[in-house]
Amino acid sequence: MKAYVLHGIDDFRFEEVKRPGIKPDEVLVKVKAAGICGSDIPRIYKTGTYSYPLIPGHEFSGLVAETGAEADMNWRGKRVGVFPLIPCMNCILCQNKHYELCRKYSYLGSRIDGGFAEYVAVPEQNLIELPDSVSFEAAAMLEPMAVAVHAMQSVQMDKKDAVAVCGLGTIGILLIMFLREKGIKNLYVIGNKDLQKEMVLKMGIPEHRYCDNRTADSNKWLMQQTSGLGVDIFFECVGRNETIVNAINCTAPDGRVQMVGNPVSDMFFDKNTYWKILRNQLTLKGSWNSSFTHSAGDDWHYVLKHLAKRNIQPERYITQQFSLEELIKGFEIMRDKQVNYIKVMGVF
């Protein structure tokens, strides 16, 4: 089969490889759509991964082509999304069904072969069946949507709360989509690209509720917007020291700072910032991955339910789309930031 294979840092090749065999509890998925995650770019070009060679890609959907000896044969031919985290099932966190917090997990696309290929071997337990109304492209965004939902569901929220979202990459955009769908109207948005502004205005965010932090001091802007009080909930989707400090400074007393962005810098709090946390009795909370427990209440089923009802339409945030053979252009766009993008998608 054809696949994108990482042989080492910045040694990324599109080549012919052997189609994967499957274990008794696995299925073989024919990939139909695969999204490029922001974390794929440093993994491929800068930091590398756990072992080589490796096929990256953890945001994908497809059709079940084969089933292992112990897997349910009824999966054959089914349209599926794929939860990429493979829990150990033995640690105390797995026993409590907090699989996203597993201490000894594996992961499709970073620890074992993933979805930038024609086929991928997937544990049966990681499948979620797709309704006919859900496109493969939308299903390939299940993982980032579930990450956004996990962050949203992890913080107590009232529809009357003032909420800020800083950072409008894929997760930030999808988070705003779900906040809007949830009925959060008192929403303030901070971004730094023209395309981001265009996207959020189309979502229904009033222009005066958007701050471009290239040209404005978002800290002063947000405090002015909230009459000096700050917001009840601040979603930090950037992962930089300065934006986390801004989040703390712009959150109202007894408010919550939900940290979502993967770190791109070390984090240091000066004394005044630490005093702000103490004196305002702020809650700082991390959000990691998403819950997938095969129950109606997990993050993946929450997303799928709203997808099936067409309450959300994530396909509109796919800004570039490529075939398998041309998908390298998508990696280069994200690596070099040649053009603005939200979600780069491969459709195979």
Side-chain angles (χ1 to χ4, degrees), residues 7 12 18 22 41-42 56 58-59 69 91 94 108 119 132 144 156 177 184 186 192 219-220 247 250 257 263 272 340:
H7 291 271
F12 195 41
K18 186 177 179 180
I22 53 174
I41 303 306
H58 61 270
E59 301 178 7
C91 68
C94 283
L108 293 162
Y119 293 90
D132 290 340
Q156 293 183 347
M177 177 182 71
I184 304 298
N186 195 8
N192 62 3
N219 197 329
K220 291 181 180 178
C250 292
V257 177
N272 288 336
N340 288 330

Side-chain angles (χ1 to χ4, degrees), residues 246-270:
N246 283 347
I248 292 167
N249 288 330
C250 292
T251 299
D254 204 31
R256 288 85 79 201
V257 177
Q258 184 74 320
M259 294 180 286
V260 187
N262 289 343
V264 294
S265 68
D266 291 331
M267 305 298 170
F268 300 96
F269 292 160
D270 60 33

Side-chain angles (χ1 to χ4, degrees), residues 52 80 93 96 201 244 249 255 279 293:
Y52 305 100
V80 294
L93 292 158
N96 291 326
L201 293 185
I244 291 178
N249 288 330
R279 290 178 180 271
T293 61

Side-chain angles (χ1 to χ4, degrees), residues 184-219:
I184 304 298
K185 295 181 179 178
N186 195 8
L187 190 57
Y188 301 91
V189 179
I190 302 166
N192 62 3
K193 293 181 175 64
D194 293 339
L195 179 60
Q196 294 174 353
K197 180 179 180 180
E198 178 185 334
M199 290 285 186
V200 298
L201 293 185
K202 286 182 178 178
M203 286 185 190
I205 302 296
E207 189 163 1
H208 71 275
R209 293 292 186 96
Y210 176 84
C211 177
D212 187 332
N213 60 10
R214 295 173 299 183
T215 57
D217 184 326
S218 61
N219 197 329

Side-chain angles (χ1 to χ4, degrees), residues 156-332:
Q156 293 183 347
M157 187 181 305
D158 186 275
K159 290 184 179 180
K160 296 179 181 179
D161 283 337
V163 179
V165 177
C166 179
L168 301 181
T170 301
I171 301 300
I173 288 287
L174 295 175
L175 175 59
I176 292 169
M177 177 182 71
F178 280 106
L179 289 169
R180 292 277 299 170
E181 195 277 334
K182 194 177 181 69
I184 304 298
K185 295 181 179 178
N186 195 8
L187 190 57
Y188 301 91
V189 179
I190 302 166
N192 62 3
K193 293 181 175 64
D194 293 339
L195 179 60
Q196 294 174 353
K197 180 179 180 180
E198 178 185 334
M199 290 285 186
V200 298
L201 293 185
K202 286 182 178 178
M203 286 185 190
I205 302 296
E207 189 163 1
H208 71 275
R209 293 292 186 96
Y210 176 84
C211 177
D212 187 332
N213 60 10
R214 295 173 299 183
T215 57
D217 184 326
S218 61
N219 197 329
K220 291 181 180 178
W221 171 82
L222 191 53
M223 296 306 287
Q224 289 172 352
Q225 290 284 321
T226 57
S227 301
L229 185 62
V231 294
D232 300 295
I233 302 168
F234 196 116
F235 289 95
E236 198 284 333
C237 302
V238 180
R240 292 187 181 276
N241 191 84
E242 57 268 30
T243 51
I244 291 178
V245 170
N246 283 347
I248 292 167
N249 288 330
C250 292
T251 299
D254 204 31
R256 288 85 79 201
V257 177
Q258 184 74 320
M259 294 180 286
V260 187
N262 289 343
V264 294
S265 68
D266 291 331
M267 305 298 170
F268 300 96
F269 292 160
D270 60 33
K271 186 167 68 174
N272 288 336
T273 300
Y274 190 74
W275 270 121
K276 184 67 69 73
I277 297 169
L278 296 182
R279 290 178 180 271
N280 283 352
Q281 296 188 171
L282 300 181
T283 299
L284 275 63
K285 192 173 188 300
S287 180
W288 178 248
N289 218 290
S290 59
S291 67
F292 180 61
T293 61
H294 297 279
S295 66
D298 70 31
D299 297 324
W300 284 62
H301 284 85
Y302 181 100
V303 173
L304 197 60
K305 175 183 175 181
H306 289 80
L307 275 176
K309 290 183 176 181
R310 301 300 292 171
N311 292 351
I312 54 172
Q313 296 177 324
E315 297 98 327
R316 67 178 60 180
Y317 308 118
I318 299 172
T319 47
Q320 287 86 12
Q321 187 168 297
F322 300 98
S323 67
L324 176 63
E325 291 76 12
E326 295 186 333
L327 188 58
I328 190 62
K329 296 177 183 178
F331 294 104
E332 292 169 350

Side-chain angles (χ1 to χ4, degrees), residues 84-122:
L85 187 149
I86 303 173
C88 74
M89 305 304 289
N90 294 318
C91 68
I92 187 65
L93 292 158
C94 283
Q95 291 172 23
N96 291 326
K97 295 189 175 182
H98 291 300
Y99 302 126
E100 74 277 13
L101 298 178
C102 174
R103 302 292 86 177
K104 298 179 181 179
Y105 68 90
S106 187
Y107 208 87
L108 293 162
S110 66
R111 302 191 180 203
I112 60 175
D113 287 340
F116 294 138
E118 291 184 280
Y119 293 90
V120 58
V122 175

